Amino acid sequence: MERLWKRIAVPLTVVAFAWGGEALAFPQSTGGGGSEGEKAPVSSGTIKVEKAKGPNAYTVGEIFAKSADLDKKPVAVRGKVVKVSTGIMGKNWIHLQDGSGIAGKGTNDLVVTSKDVPKVGDVVTASGTLSKDKDFGAGYKYPVIVEEATFKP
């Protein structure tokens, strides 16, 4: 199967970029890909963002810690946009960090899907539905993800 993937991955990637795609939702044959290949870059500075306000407001770290209780429930999280990938599986994939969570455990970076496209560097409040242990297939698994979010400055 790995051999077949290697024959398909490169032509698909070339076609996607030729059509103006920024990213392709397929794992790379180099061992990257999947949700592991989608991690946000390490921040060059300290990120510290005030927690969102309201009854469904959480920090990034709290969302990971309370994911079992929050599964399929509305959440709001305020954070700095550290990465944006557009047009993957009909969605935009936004990485938020607020300074909470533990980088070594991956609980400091929250992935949010949306039709909206905030800019890298913006501080926003994302409101959407939390999903725990979400598997999109093709190696894209997320222990926590906020889906169908909207953003406010």
Side-chain angles (χ1 to χ4, degrees), residues 85-141:
S85 299
T86 59
I88 301 171
M89 298 190 308
K91 305 173 187 190
N92 301 314
W93 300 70
I94 298 94
H95 290 251
L96 296 179
Q97 295 181 6
D98 63 4
S100 67
I102 301 169
K105 292 184 177 182
T107 60
N108 69 319
D109 183 72
L110 180 65
V111 177
V112 178
T113 64
S114 180
K115 296 287 183 190
D116 298 343
V117 187
K119 294 178 186 168
V120 171
D122 286 353
V123 174
V124 297
T125 299
S127 299
T129 303
L130 184 127
S131 291
K132 181 180 181 304
D133 297 323
K134 183 74 175 200
D135 186 350
F136 290 94
Y140 287 86
K141 296 179 184 178

Side-chain angles (χ1 to χ4, degrees), residues 56-81:
N56 298 323
Y58 300 92
T59 65
V60 170
E62 288 172 339
I63 284 178
F64 277 93
K66 299 176 181 183
S67 62
D69 293 333
L70 297 174
D71 191 27
K72 308 290 185 255
K73 294 182 180 168
V75 296
V77 61
R78 187 161 177 79
K80 182 176 183 178
V81 178

